[in-house]
Amino acid sequence: MTLTRTDREILKLMQQDATITLGVLAERVGLSPSSAQRRLQKLREERVILRDVSIVDPRKVGRPVSMLVEVELERDRPELLPPFMRWVTETPEVQEAWGTSGRGDYTLVITAQSVEHFDALADRMMELNRNIRKFTTSVVLKTLKRGLAVPVD
Amino acid sequence: MTLTRTDREILKLMQQDATITLGVLAERVGLSPSSAQRRLQKLREERVILRDVSIVDPRKVGRPVSMLVEVELERDRPELLPPFMRWVTETPEVQEAWGTSGRGDYTLVITAQSVEHFDALADRMMELNRNIRKFTTSVVLKTLKRGLAVPVD
DNA sequence: GTTGAAACAGAGACAGA
DNA sequence: TCTGTCTCTGTTTCAAC
């Protein structure tokens, strides 16, 4: 799908605030409301917009602790990789996970109620995934920025 | 603000799909539509829900490259810390940033059009922030999971 | 918690550039 | 094909009860 300048403006606005009305959105990008709506629909159909979600403040729901975890897996046990990926996907405390080059094989962002809860989660992780050679955790002291917004220029 | 079981159910659903109608939301949590609406409004007023956003697929807008960057700052130049934080906040390619204990002082998630674009961004980062002692970058090979959803149980 | 009125969203049909 | 207008139904929003 080829994105027009207008599509990109729509994406920019919707990444800032998805509760914006079609009328306001249309006005800001110089379209009629129905055209803006059709563009939006197309962007969703084509999976440029994957979904719309509410962003919840972790501190307000009892999860003030974040951890960054670098996991190093045993490379000679490839049959244990899919279970590890499934564990990552299915564990809601794992907010984000990337497989990377460099030191650690995988980096996880984890949200927890406390360091004790995190510790229990890390224990479960080690038990359920016997291919974890080691992992290093960094405690998040300050969250400077959090978001999934992508520049669209 | 004290969260009821119903509030938590609302948060769970809204984190999955914020385009859900009030009628459906109300039905799922066992409320009338107008009550569900007032709950939602309260959750937004109290900043439990920070905002609602569209999630855009980076690959569909020409940003297939992600990097994790660990930055180590000179500790004896505290006057350069606020400018660094401002740079992080104002640079849209930096999607997320945490100040951490452990090896690196700061960890950044960066989205880029290509490794060359990332390289140029890293150069600008070094030029604009003379307190960066060193940084290590990990190329993201696989994105297993991406999201900001918080478990609310 | 319910009702009701006005604004808004979503989807379809239609005509014009 | 993309845009704007029109139209209809269902939804949201907010005030009043």
Side-chain angles (χ1 to χ4, degrees), chain A residues 12-49:
Chain A
K12 184 175 179 181
L13 292 168
M14 290 294 289
Q15 285 188 105
Q16 290 168 12
D17 179 10
T19 68
I20 189 175
T21 69
L22 287 175
V24 173
L25 178 64
E27 191 194 332
R28 296 229 191 134
V29 303
L31 284 180
S32 70
S34 62
S35 288
Q37 186 191 11
R38 273 187 294 241
R39 291 266 189 187
L40 249 188
Q41 189 181 19
K42 192 91 179 167
L43 289 168
R44 288 200 239 258
E45 276 171 12
E46 303 279 345
R47 304 281 293 161
V48 178
I49 292 177

Side-chain angles (χ1 to χ4, degrees), chain A residues 62-86:
Chain A
R63 292 190 170 264
V65 174
S66 289
M67 298 278 186
L68 304 186
V69 178
E70 290 181 34
V71 176
E72 197 177 318
L73 300 183
E74 315 243 15
R75 287 173 212 283
D76 52 358
R77 297 180 73 179
E79 78 281 7
L80 290 181
L81 190 54
F84 173 73
M85 289 175 150
R86 206 173 314 126

Side-chain angles (χ1 to χ4, degrees), chain A residues 96-110:
Chain A
E96 314 195 66
W98 301 271
T100 63
S101 70
R103 211 166 26 231
D105 289 334
Y106 291 89
T107 299
L108 318 179
V109 179
I110 288 174

